[in-house]
């Protein structure tokens, strides 16, 4: 059955969209799941090791995703054009609280106009008035999500359903995931050719894609949990693809266990939402309860913070981001898929899908700070700063991904929902291009080390160089490439520019977030300039691995280059999908198209009413100048000064970090990745000064975030907010300094006692119980053997044998062969029988 969710507001109407592809979107993840089964079952017997099945399946899914998106766009357009002249309506004047006045439009039943559910006649009249008002200039109706569900099972009067939910956000992710996955599949046929587990690799690549597609099409949070965990399991298998090498296994385990930490928050948050929403699992019902105010704000806050912990682990937000750079141990195509379109964007999607919960739970509207925005803003800076000191090209891109995911989280934290999803889309394109470009270079030099094994690669790999340059410009946010439009929309969405320019009509005045985002933009441009120099300019520094790899590198094959060309081309034009309103005098049909088709409207009932910042030429120009200046500074340092020192040089001999103790200390801190791995896992003890400095930084950041969030974002009293901030800050300070000064990380401190406790339980409880059961089993077996088997069963058998033997002996004694003796016995027997008959009868 197809479930229709109907709602109406005083200012607008909602139209229930429908269509074959929208209602049967489950086919897309099902195809990829079937591909996984076929590849693992029969792949090794196939000519191309099962890769042909994976490519064919994901290609079909990409086509279906495009058809689904096209059908959704058609429904949105039809709803937006809906007026009393083009859309007839029926109002049942006798309907009751259970009735609804739906209109089935056109012969095929393309969509239904909602004029009120569970409403009185007066409410239906209000809806009709709103419909008439909409004709006079505002959008007539909003297209609602298509939800198709089946009851899975019932328990305690609660129906547990399974189904799909399709709206603009869903179709966006469907297209992005299937497109990037298709290109990664094609790329992988060359990159992992001859791999010892080629078939296994493509099987899990299909399952990984299926899990993400299942996740984004889920109609309820139970399904989202299943998809979320499936994505994590597949990432574990793919990151540890070459598990024979210890670092790869360690990286896979680190990713898996770090995500399990966040998943505790996911489960608790979902349970809280279930009970807070009157025992409902549906995404639409949960969002609607948060938006309508029927769900307790306190419970929404708790659920939001718990879910934020899950987002921090899955989407690599500070301070649970440490697994993500280590995940580069997996094959590069897997890195591209994880970091561009699947696993790490799952957390961003979770926030966007349950945005009603986060928007009201964290009081995003009308504020200037909240936990979500702060986590995102800090993550952008942490990721960008750590990218500066990496020599491994994939780890630079990994920290860049962390930074850009922070951008998306920041955008959602300030109310710029569309900007966040738009940046998710554009980032998927140019970041996949960059990762696959890095793989192309490493394929040629058999290394990822930019300083030791690269340099001057543009001469050997011109196509890879050009596509990587396009991806770098898009990532840096320079116009007119895609990254510029989505980044600028996020900066405008902070509302912080209103501090300089005036009213911006955003959801709040997040000026601090604007500043942090602007700094991140400059840092991004600078570290990508460094990557371009170390990889493609100067002199080639490789060719020294072994005899088999001597000589100049060469360009990759077409199966690697064509995905790069396609992604680079899309990185150029994708930004045009959401041009600002009034841009260059273009008509409205050419601007804000992404927002129009993707962002749900408040009239749908499951999305909060948010404001959209006005486009600002001054902000766009200023941010472009900041980025260009950062490029200029980095260009001068590397392309001029370093290159002048030596074409093979990678850094200045007597650089700034050698001349300044402060810069050297900062560089050491970055090389040690803010000592987070020391804090978690332990390491060499850090001096008192360094430990106190790091403890102060972390403690102050945590305390200020909590204090400002309580005071401003959650409207709590000032002094209690300060008190809680101080308590948290001192706690974090104590933990961090103790971990660094002793060299015993938090995980080590917790892990060893837990390991000892688990070992004690194992030996004294589990093993003892098993041993006791074994001992009792032996005793019982002995008793059964001695008394039952030997005493009863064998005794009975032996007794019967002895009786038979005695009877046989007696019979043998009577068996003399004399006829007179036999006659005597027969006579005696006959006499006895006759006597018995006389007595009985």
């Amino acid at each position: 059955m197809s479930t229709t969710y109907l709602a109406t507001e005083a200012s607008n109407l909602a139209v229930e969209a429908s269509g074959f592809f929208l209602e049967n979107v489950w086919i897309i993840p099902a195809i990829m799941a079937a591909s996984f089964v076929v590849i693992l079952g029969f792949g090794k017997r196939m000519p191309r090791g099962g890769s042909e099945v994976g490519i064919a399946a994901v290609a079909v899914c990409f086509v279906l995703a495009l058809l689904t998106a096209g059908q959704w766009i058609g429904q949105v357009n039809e709803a937006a054009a809906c007026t009393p002249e083009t859309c007839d309506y029926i109002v049942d004047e006798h309907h009751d609280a259970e009735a609804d006045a739906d209109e089935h439009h056109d012969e095929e039943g393309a969509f239904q106009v909602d004029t009120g559910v569970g409403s009185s006649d007066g409410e239906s009249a209000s809806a009709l008035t709103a419909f008439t008002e909409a004709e006079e200039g505002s959008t007539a109706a909003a297209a609602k999500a298509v939800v198709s569900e089946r009851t899975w099972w019932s328990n305690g009067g609660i129906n547990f359903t399974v189904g799909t939910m399709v709206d603009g956000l869903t179709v966006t992710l469907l297209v992005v995931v299937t497109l990037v996955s298709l290109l990664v599949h094609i790329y992988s046929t060359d990159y992992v050719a001859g791999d010892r587990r080629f078939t296994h690799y493509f099987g899990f690549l299909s399952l990984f894609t299926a899990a993400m597609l299942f996740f984004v099409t889920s109609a309820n949070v139970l399904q989202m949990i299943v998809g979320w965990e499936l994505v994590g399991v597949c990432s574990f298998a793919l990151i540890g693809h070459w598990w024979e090498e210890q670092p790869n296994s360690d990286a896979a385990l680190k990713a898996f266990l770090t995500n399990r930490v966040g998943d505790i928050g996911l489960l608790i948050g979902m349970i809280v939402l279930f009970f807070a929403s009157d025992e409902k699992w549906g995404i639409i019902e949960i969002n609607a309860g948060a938006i309508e105010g029927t769900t307790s704000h306190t419970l929404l806050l708790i659920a939001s913070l718990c879910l934020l912990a899950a987002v921090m682990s899955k989407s690599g937000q500070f301070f649970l981001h440490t697994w993500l750079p280590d995940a580069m141990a997996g094959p590069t195509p897997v890195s591209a898929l994880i970091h561009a379109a699947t696993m790490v964007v799952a957390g961003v999607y979770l926030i966007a899908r349950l945005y009603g919960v986060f928007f009201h739970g964290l009081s995003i509207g009308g504020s200037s700070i909240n936990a979500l925005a702060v986590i995102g803003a800090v993550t952008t800076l942490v990721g960008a700063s750590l990218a500066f000191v990496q020599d491994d090209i994939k780890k630079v891109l990994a920290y860049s991904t962390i930074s850009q995911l922070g951008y998306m989280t920041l955008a959602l934290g300030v109310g710029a929902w569309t900007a966040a999803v738009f940046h998710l889309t554009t980032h998927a394109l140019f970041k996949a291009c960059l990762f696959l470009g890095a793989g192309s270079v490493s394929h040629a030099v058999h290394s990822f080390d930019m300083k030791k094994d690269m340099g001057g690669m543009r001469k050997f790999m011109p196509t890879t160089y050009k596509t990587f340059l396009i991806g770098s410009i898009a990532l840096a946010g320079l116009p007119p490439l895609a990254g510029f439009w989505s980044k600028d929309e996020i900066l405008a969405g902070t509302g912080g520019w209103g501090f300089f320019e005036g009213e911006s009509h955003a959801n709040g005045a997040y000026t601090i977030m604007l500043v942090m985002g602007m700094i991140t933009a400059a840092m991004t441009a600078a570290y990508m300039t460094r990557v371009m120099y170390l990889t493609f300019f100067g002199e080639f520094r490789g060719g020294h691995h072994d005899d088999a790899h001597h000589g100049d590198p060469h360009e990759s094959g077409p199966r690697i280059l064509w995905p790069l060309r396609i992604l680079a081309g899309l990185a150029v034009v994708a930004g045009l999908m959401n041009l600002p309103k009034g841009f260059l005098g273009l008509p409205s049909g050419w601007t804000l198209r992404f927002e129009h088709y993707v962002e749900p409207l408040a009239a749908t009932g499951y999305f909060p009413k948010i404001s959209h910042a006005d486009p600002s030429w001054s902000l766009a120009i200023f941010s472009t100048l900041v980025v260009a200046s950062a490029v200029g500074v980095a260009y001068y340092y590397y392309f001029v000064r370093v290159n002048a020192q030596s074409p093979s040089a990678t850094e200045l001999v007597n650089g700034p970090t050698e001349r300044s103790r402060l810069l050297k200390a900062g560089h050491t801190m970055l090389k040690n990745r803010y000592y987070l791995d020391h804090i978690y896992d332990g390491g060499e003890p850090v001096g008192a000064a360094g430990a106190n400095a790091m403890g102060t930084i972390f403690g102050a950041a945590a305390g200020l975030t909590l204090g400002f969030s309580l005071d401003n974002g959650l409207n709590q009293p000032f002094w209690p907010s300060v008190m809680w901030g101080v308590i948290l800050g001192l706690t974090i300070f104590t933990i961090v300094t103790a971990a660094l000064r002793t060299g015993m990380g938090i995980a080590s401190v917790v892990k060893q006692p837990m390991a000892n406790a688990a070992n004690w339980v194992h030996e004294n409880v589990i093993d003892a119980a098993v041993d006791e059961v074994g001992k009792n089993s032996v005793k019982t077996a002995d008793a059964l053997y001695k008394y039952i088997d030997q005493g009863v069963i064998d005794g009975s058998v032996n007794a019967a044998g002895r009786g038979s033997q005695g009877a046989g002996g007696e019979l043998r004694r009577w068996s003399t062969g004399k006829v007179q003796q036999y006659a005597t016995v027969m006579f005696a027997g006959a006499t006895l029988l006759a006597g018995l008959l006389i007595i009985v009868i």
Side-chain angles (χ1 to χ4, degrees), residues 693-841:
M694 294 305 302
T696 301
I697 292 173
F698 285 123
L704 289 172
T705 299
L706 180 63
F708 277 116
S709 295
L710 288 173
D711 178 56
N712 198 353
L714 303 178
N715 299 317
Q716 298 298 310
F718 176 73
W719 287 113
S721 300
V722 172
M723 180 189 70
W724 285 113
V726 170
I727 291 174
L728 178 63
L730 291 175
T731 303
I732 297 296
F733 173 84
T734 303
I735 294 173
V736 169
T737 52
L740 291 177
R741 295 185 67 175
T742 61
M744 298 178 61
I746 297 172
S748 301
V749 172
V750 175
K751 182 170 59 178
Q752 193 60 47
M754 288 182 65
N756 292 336
N759 186 59
W760 185 90
V761 171
H762 176 74
E763 291 182 349
N764 296 281
V765 179
I766 300 175
D767 276 1
V770 172
D771 291 344
E772 193 63 30
V773 170
K775 291 176 183 177
N776 291 330
S777 298
V778 171
K779 291 179 181 178
T780 302
D782 288 341
L784 288 172
Y785 175 77
K786 182 177 181 180
Y787 297 107
I788 303 299
D789 184 64
Q790 296 292 314
V792 177
I793 299 175
D794 281 0
S796 299
V797 172
N798 293 335
R802 285 192 297 270
S804 299
Q805 185 178 10
E810 289 297 319
L811 289 174
R812 281 195 304 271
R813 193 167 61 86
W814 284 90
S815 300
T816 62
K818 296 180 179 180
V819 175
Q820 298 88 338
Q821 190 175 5
Y822 295 158
T824 303
V825 172
M826 291 177 63
F827 179 78
T831 304
L832 180 61
L833 180 62
L836 290 173
L837 290 173
I838 292 170
I839 293 172
V840 172
I841 298 173

Side-chain angles (χ1 to χ4, degrees), residues 603-652:
T604 59
Y606 64 89
F607 192 76
K609 188 175 182 179
I610 61 176
S611 301
H612 297 87
D614 299 327
S616 171
W617 277 104
S618 61
L619 175 60
I621 293 171
F622 182 77
S623 64
T624 301
L625 291 175
V626 168
V627 170
S629 300
V631 171
V633 171
Y635 183 91
Y636 175 74
Y637 181 85
Y638 286 101
F639 285 79
V640 177
R641 296 194 62 191
V642 173
N643 190 64
Q645 178 179 285
S646 170
S648 62
T650 58
E651 301 289 346
L652 291 178

Side-chain angles (χ1 to χ4, degrees), residues 529-550:
T529 304
R530 173 180 179 266
V531 170
M532 288 300 302
Y533 177 79
L534 294 178
T535 305
F536 295 102
F537 291 86
E539 288 184 353
F540 179 55
R541 298 177 292 276
H544 50 76
H545 299 283
D546 52 41
D547 293 338
H549 297 150
H550 281 168

